[in-house]
Amino acid sequence: MHLACDPLSALFLAILLPQIVAGALGAERRSVFFWAFAGGMVLAVLAAEAFTLLLGFELMSAASWVLVLRGDRRPATLYAGVAMFSGACLLPALFLPPGGIAFSLILLGAGAKAGLAPLHAWLPKAHPAPPAAVSALMSGGMVKVALYVLIRYGFVVLGGAVQPWWGTALIFAGAASVLIGALRAVLEVELKTILACSTVEHVGLIAVGLGVALRAKALGETDLAALALQGALLCAVAHGLFKPLLFLGAGAVKHATGSSSLDWLGGLMRGMPRLGGLMLVGCFGMSALPLGPGFAPEFLLLHAVIAAAGTGGILARIGFTALLAVLGLGAALALGTAVRVIGVGFLGRPRTLRAAAAEDADKPVLWGMGLLAGLSVPVALFPGIVLLLLNPVIAQLVPGANQPPLHYAPFMLALLLLIAAAGTYALLQRLASHGEREVHAFNGGFGKPPAWLPFGDPLTQASGTGFAEPIQRALGATILGAKFIDPGESYVLDPLRRLNVYFTRAAERVRRATIRQRLAFLFAALVLFLAALGFVQGA
């Protein structure tokens, strides 16, 4: 094995280490497979040649599969199939000469592992299955390792043969991931499934940035490639902080209440104030709100897409304009997801006695979440400084590119937000009705609760399902179909299941064949082989 650490490796190692430390503060530090999982990711990032990269990648896959299997056996088989498919694509790709075939295999192998559409349907099933610390490391770290492989080979190893369609393919896959992931996140009810679907969306955002950069590099637009890489890499850094934070919080919620369904939570901010505050920080990043860690990356990505529209003809302008609409819709849905998680899960009234009696998380969990929240502050408030640290990485991926500094004024932005909030509050106070009247709860009213409901009647507030119903009516049937099934499951997993059944039945017929049938089959195969051999020799 050969190890090395260049700027790209150092960046992804810096993304992984806080997650590993935060996850190890919990009970999973006693698990051998947890450390094998973390060691495989570090080994893949520090690999200096293809064999070590494959060894680390497969160790990561095998250890995480065992952890998923321990949590829930149902998605473990599907996850094992995806891991084997990913390895089967990467194995020949890493040893092929630079070209379109090698990149296509890299995109299939790394994209399946990262959860890029249309090979993403396994991720919302497998990531919520293991314990929270493992889920955090899978969504925050494992998908980054897959993207690292894609970046390493797309920009460095195969960079001399880069073609514009490589970037276009990444953009299409990323845009589909943003749309499907954001929509599913706002419709799901289980907290860890919501976060897993949000991971699909953010992987799509990173892929869009990488696609714009690859296309720009192939066209000789190095400055545009640098701008797109700034957005993509900063998004990877931010997502590697706030998403593990949210998964650790979701695990603590399930431990305290016995459920992670938004329809059974509510009012958690009373009993779990410290956890609720940390979850609020994570939701700021997930929703890309100003002064949150996710705002600057999406800001840069939008500027890169706007600039890319001017690098081609009319088709490029139409395509990038449509991409802007997709990114805008994804951002709006992500904001709705964050509001739904905090508003339905942590605010309002408790929907169960377990939610009403919930106590704050254990100190090690809070310490791990606090570490990730603290590291999110410079990404949120001073992204320009973080971009300065990313300059060597961008110079390695796009040599000779001009990297414009990001001028970000957090204090002025905070002042503007404060003025807007104060104006909105004053307007509501002036125009709102201050009278009260009692009506029945089923009529949309807030009747007086009985004495045995000290926090009020939970039926008078929106549930997680009810909150998402307008979005489900407006977009769900259009994008997910009448049955609201993920397109990745309808068009990828279901055909594979039918193919599996067909081959299983064919193998069963062969197994039950008589000795005469088997001898006849071998004779026919021998005749065909000899005929083909004679044809080749004659030609």
Side-chain angles (χ1 to χ4, degrees), residues 27-277:
E28 290 304 313
R29 66 179 179 272
R30 302 184 184 90
S31 171
V32 174
F33 291 103
F34 175 83
W35 291 109
F37 180 31
M41 290 191 291
V42 172
L43 183 62
V45 168
L46 293 178
E49 33 77 29
F51 169 77
T52 309
L53 176 62
L54 278 174
L55 179 62
F57 199 88
E58 294 307 309
L59 176 61
M60 172 187 75
S61 298
S64 59
W65 172 74
V66 173
L67 294 167
V68 170
L69 186 65
R70 284 181 170 182
D72 189 351
R73 291 180 176 271
R74 289 173 294 179
T77 303
L78 175 61
Y79 177 58
V82 171
M84 287 188 285
F85 171 79
S86 180
C89 291
L90 291 178
L91 181 60
L94 300 188
F95 300 98
L96 284 173
I101 297 177
F103 177 78
S104 298
L105 290 173
I106 291 287
L107 181 58
L108 285 173
K113 196 68 174 178
L116 264 180
L119 304 175
H120 67 284
W122 66 273
L123 194 150
K125 299 176 183 292
H127 280 206
V134 180
S135 297
L137 208 53
M138 289 178 72
S139 278
M142 187 177 72
V143 297
K144 302 300 183 306
V145 174
L147 291 171
Y148 164 81
V149 174
L150 184 59
I151 296 171
R152 168 72 67 183
Y153 277 82
F155 285 89
V156 181
V157 179
L158 308 178
V162 62
Q163 301 175 35
W165 69 265
W166 296 10
T168 304
L170 258 180
I171 291 171
F172 272 104
S177 299
V178 168
L179 193 58
I180 297 171
L183 180 59
R184 282 201 58 187
V186 83
L187 296 180
E188 294 290 341
V189 176
E190 291 292 332
L191 191 52
K192 291 178 75 173
T193 307
I194 292 171
L195 299 178
C197 293
S198 175
T199 295
V200 174
E201 179 214 350
H202 283 91
V203 167
L205 288 173
I206 299 171
V208 166
L210 296 177
V212 172
L214 266 180
R215 180 180 177 275
K217 182 178 181 180
L219 296 175
E221 301 282 346
T222 55
D223 292 351
L224 173 58
L227 177 62
L229 279 174
Q230 283 182 332
L233 296 178
L234 192 59
C235 187
V237 172
H239 183 261
L241 293 171
F242 67 75
K243 189 52 64 67
L245 185 156
L246 290 170
F247 264 106
L248 291 174
V253 167
K254 186 170 185 179
H255 178 74
T257 65
S259 174
S260 60
S261 173
L262 291 181
D263 289 340
W264 293 94
L265 301 177
L268 295 179
M269 197 65 79
R270 293 187 180 93
M272 312 177 78
R274 290 177 291 180
L275 179 76

Side-chain angles (χ1 to χ4, degrees), residues 255-489:
H255 178 74
T257 65
S259 174
S260 60
S261 173
L262 291 181
D263 289 340
W264 293 94
L265 301 177
L268 295 179
M269 197 65 79
R270 293 187 180 93
M272 312 177 78
R274 290 177 291 180
L275 179 76
L278 292 170
M279 290 289 284
L280 189 60
V281 174
C283 285
F284 254 86
M286 184 170 65
S287 61
L289 284 171
L291 301 181
F295 176 72
E298 290 210 28
F299 180 84
L300 290 170
L301 286 176
L302 290 173
H303 274 268
V305 172
I306 292 171
T311 60
I314 185 65
L315 290 179
R317 293 180 182 274
I318 294 174
F320 283 111
T321 302
L323 179 60
L324 276 175
V326 170
L327 295 182
L329 180 59
L333 292 173
L335 177 59
T337 301
V339 170
R340 184 167 172 253
V341 168
I342 294 297
V344 176
F346 286 83
L347 302 181
R349 301 183 177 104
R351 293 175 174 82
T352 61
L353 293 176
R354 293 288 298 270
E359 296 180 354
D360 231 328
D362 297 334
K363 287 184 178 180
V365 176
L366 293 176
W367 289 340
M369 296 176 66
L371 170 66
L372 297 171
L375 293 175
S376 298
V377 172
V379 181
L381 300 182
F382 309 106
I385 298 176
V386 180
L387 286 180
L388 289 177
L389 300 177
L390 296 180
N391 282 348
V393 183
I394 298 173
Q396 177 189 0
L397 301 179
V398 188
N402 180 30
Q403 303 178 41
L406 175 65
H407 299 288
Y408 190 75
F411 301 108
M412 183 59 67
L413 187 58
L415 179 61
L416 291 174
L417 290 174
L418 184 62
I419 293 173
T424 304
Y425 178 77
L427 189 64
L428 288 175
Q429 288 296 311
R430 182 175 181 83
L431 300 179
S433 173
H434 298 285
E436 293 183 0
R437 64 189 182 94
E438 288 191 13
V439 296
H440 293 292
F442 60 79
N443 200 26
F446 290 83
K448 184 179 294 185
W452 46 272
L453 286 174
F455 297 116
D457 190 352
L459 294 178
T460 59
Q461 59 187 354
S463 65
T465 304
F467 186 97
E469 187 177 1
I471 300 174
Q472 182 176 354
R473 289 183 178 182
L475 296 174
T478 304
I479 298 174
L480 301 180
K483 297 183 179 180
F484 304 106
I485 299 176
D486 194 304
E489 192 155 348

